Amino acid sequence: DAKTTQPTSMDCAEGRAANLPCNHSTISGNEYVYWYRQIHSQGPQYIIHGLKNNETNEMASLIITEDRKSSTLILPHATLRDTAVYYCIVRVAVGNQGGKLIFGQGTELSVKP
Amino acid sequence: DGGITQSPKYLFRKEGQNVTLSCEQNLNHDAMYWYRQDPGQGLRLIYYSQIVNDFQKGDIAEGYSVSREKKESFPLTVTSAQKNPTAFYLCASSITGARSNYGYTFGSGTRLTVV
């Protein structure tokens, strides 16, 4: 199973872009990269996912390197409400019906005024 | 509104007692999952179910049991065999199939404390 490595914590100034890195050097060709975030004492919230191409939605952008060994989640204009733990996850396939998500320790992002 | 509901939000249990945590979803999702989270830690998978009447052990299934009699419901029982049950428990669901992104929807969690 592919594992991910993320920094334990990061700070970001309010209004600036937050760039959260993730290494997944053992990722397989058919495994997706997912990002979730968890605000204290709540359930994790889906942010974005991707396979090879860069992806963007209303919450964030996901940049995946060409060799797929690492990725970066970008929050373009961080707000105080973006303070949370961010999890980078590689989806593990289970049979033909899709995968279970294995969570690591995540990155604790603190957005400061 | 569709969603996934966990109840209760807080639960206290005496040592030696079994307790059941509820998880209900009205999203028509095929798959459901139970995770455990300890303070300052990531989520660890306890059990998961891809279809009704079938479920699989996750990484830390010892001391837990589940059932999946209905698509909408996936209750988790924490038995007296679980040595350290105090934790935050999260339930999730997802659709399956070739066209899904397998993204999970999580409930708001149940915080279990053994007293």
Side-chain angles (χ1 to χ4, degrees):
Chain A
D1 299 342
K3 298 187 185 300
T4 62
T5 304
Q6 299 176 253
T8 302
S9 63
M10 292 182 64
D11 291 340
C12 178
E14 188 178 18
R16 303 297 295 270
N19 298 289
L20 290 85
C22 179
N23 287 320
H24 32 78
S25 59
T26 60
I27 191 170
S28 300
N30 61 350
E31 290 180 316
Y32 286 75
V33 179
Y34 282 80
W35 283 85
Y36 283 76
R37 73 179 182 185
Q38 185 179 25
I39 297 171
H40 182 62
S41 295
Q42 297 183 21
Q45 175 190 24
Y46 165 83
I47 301 173
I48 199 167
H49 76 285
L51 182 63
K52 295 180 181 178
N53 300 321
N54 298 337
E55 302 287 345
T56 296
N57 63 20
E58 64 277 6
M59 291 183 67
S61 295
L62 174 61
I63 308 299
I64 302 174
T65 58
E66 190 170 346
D67 63 8
R68 302 209 326 123
K69 293 185 177 182
S70 65
S71 60
T72 301
L73 178 75
I74 301 172
L75 308 178
H77 304 287
T79 71
L80 298 179
R81 289 178 294 179
D82 291 323
T83 292
V85 177
Y86 287 77
Y87 295 99
C88 169
I89 304 160
V90 173
R91 189 188 78 200
V92 177
V94 176
N96 295 321
Q97 293 186 310
K100 54 182 180 178
L101 295 177
I102 305 298
F103 286 76
Q105 299 299 311
T107 295
E108 186 167 5
L109 175 68
S110 296
V111 180
K112 300 182 183 299
Chain B
D1 290 337
I4 183 165
T5 302
Q6 291 187 242
S7 61
K9 189 171 180 66
Y10 298 96
L11 188 57
F12 296 88
R13 188 195 93 176
K14 293 182 179 180
E15 280 193 47
Q17 287 182 336
N18 293 352
V19 63
T20 298
L21 282 60
S22 170
C23 180
E24 303 278 334
Q25 54 99 358
N26 60 3
L27 300 166
N28 200 33
H29 285 176
D30 297 305
M32 298 187 74
Y33 311 82
W34 274 106
Y35 288 88
R36 168 186 172 136
Q37 187 173 35
D38 293 286
Q41 303 295 314
L43 283 68
R44 292 185 290 167
L45 183 63
I46 305 172
Y47 268 99
Y48 61 99
S49 168
Q50 300 279 335
I51 56 173
V52 174
N53 292 321
D54 186 53
F55 48 83
Q56 304 295 328
K57 292 182 179 180
D59 300 320
I60 55 166
E62 184 176 354
Y64 299 97
S65 65
V66 293
S67 63
R68 188 82 188 280
E69 297 177 1
K70 298 186 301 182
K71 188 175 185 178
E72 302 80 15
S73 179
F74 191 41
L76 174 74
T77 297
V78 184
T79 75
S80 57
Q82 169 52 235
K83 299 304 181 186
N84 186 22
T86 295
F88 187 47
Y89 291 87
L90 285 157
C91 180
S93 68
S94 71
I95 61 174
T96 59
R99 295 184 180 181
S100 77
N101 65 19
Y102 303 114
Y104 287 17
T105 300
F106 279 86
S108 57
T110 293
R111 191 167 298 279
L112 173 65
T113 303
V114 174
V115 295

